[in-house]
Amino acid sequence: MDDPRSSVRNDLVSSIVIGALGLFTLALGAWALADTSSFYDNIAEFPPYNRHLLHDIGAFQVGLGAALLFALVWRGDAILAVLGGATAGTVTHWAAHVADDGMGGRSSDPYSLGIIAAVMTVVFAWRLYTRYVAR
């Protein structure tokens, strides 16, 4: 027979670890996006410096951090948590391509990534609406 206190303790420990990792990952991603040269100098110094590559890394870090944090918020809906993280990552990735136009990727990337980001946003918003608002 499982001890209920052990289950609560395990849930608390895993929640703290997931929350801390989510915040840390989100902060690293935001740093890579907001101050790319500082991020490069302090964390990711692998020549040659490539602002757009670091923005892409930051976008995916933001998505991962958001997914981890959303997993704590929406424990009963893994799909919603993953959609939230994926949406954060795809929207941030699209914004990086818009800001870095001509620095990396294809000239069509802002458009194709924008479509993906828009679809992800709509699906995430729809699931959020049907789960919490429409009830």
Side-chain angles (χ1 to χ4, degrees):
M1 187 182 300
D2 289 332
D3 179 4
R5 291 175 297 178
S6 177
S7 179
V8 169
R9 190 172 35 255
N10 288 342
D11 189 50
L12 177 63
V13 169
S14 63
S15 294
I16 290 169
V17 170
I18 295 234
L21 183 60
L23 289 172
F24 179 73
T25 305
L26 191 63
L28 280 177
W31 182 13
L33 289 163
D35 193 354
T36 310
S37 57
S38 171
F39 183 83
Y40 176 81
D41 291 340
N42 291 285
I43 300 289
E45 191 175 344
F46 47 90
Y49 172 80
N50 184 323
R51 178 183 140 170
H52 180 69
L53 176 61
L54 293 173
H55 279 168
D56 279 350
I57 290 168
F60 292 110
Q61 292 280 111
V62 165
L64 175 59
L68 289 167
L69 295 173
F70 288 153
L72 294 176
V73 174
W74 296 305
R75 292 171 187 259
D77 192 346
I79 292 173
L80 184 59
V82 170
L83 273 171
T87 299
T90 57
V91 168
T92 309
H93 187 211
W94 164 76
H97 275 266
V98 170
D100 296 342
D101 191 28
M103 290 183 161
R106 297 177 188 85
S107 60
S108 62
D109 283 350
Y111 305 103
S112 58
L113 294 173
I115 290 168
I116 294 167
V119 168
M120 291 300 297
T121 301
V122 167
V123 172
F124 172 65
W126 179 253
R127 186 163 184 104
L128 191 61
Y129 173 79
T130 57
R131 180 139 173 118
Y132 293 100
V133 179
R135 285 187 174 187

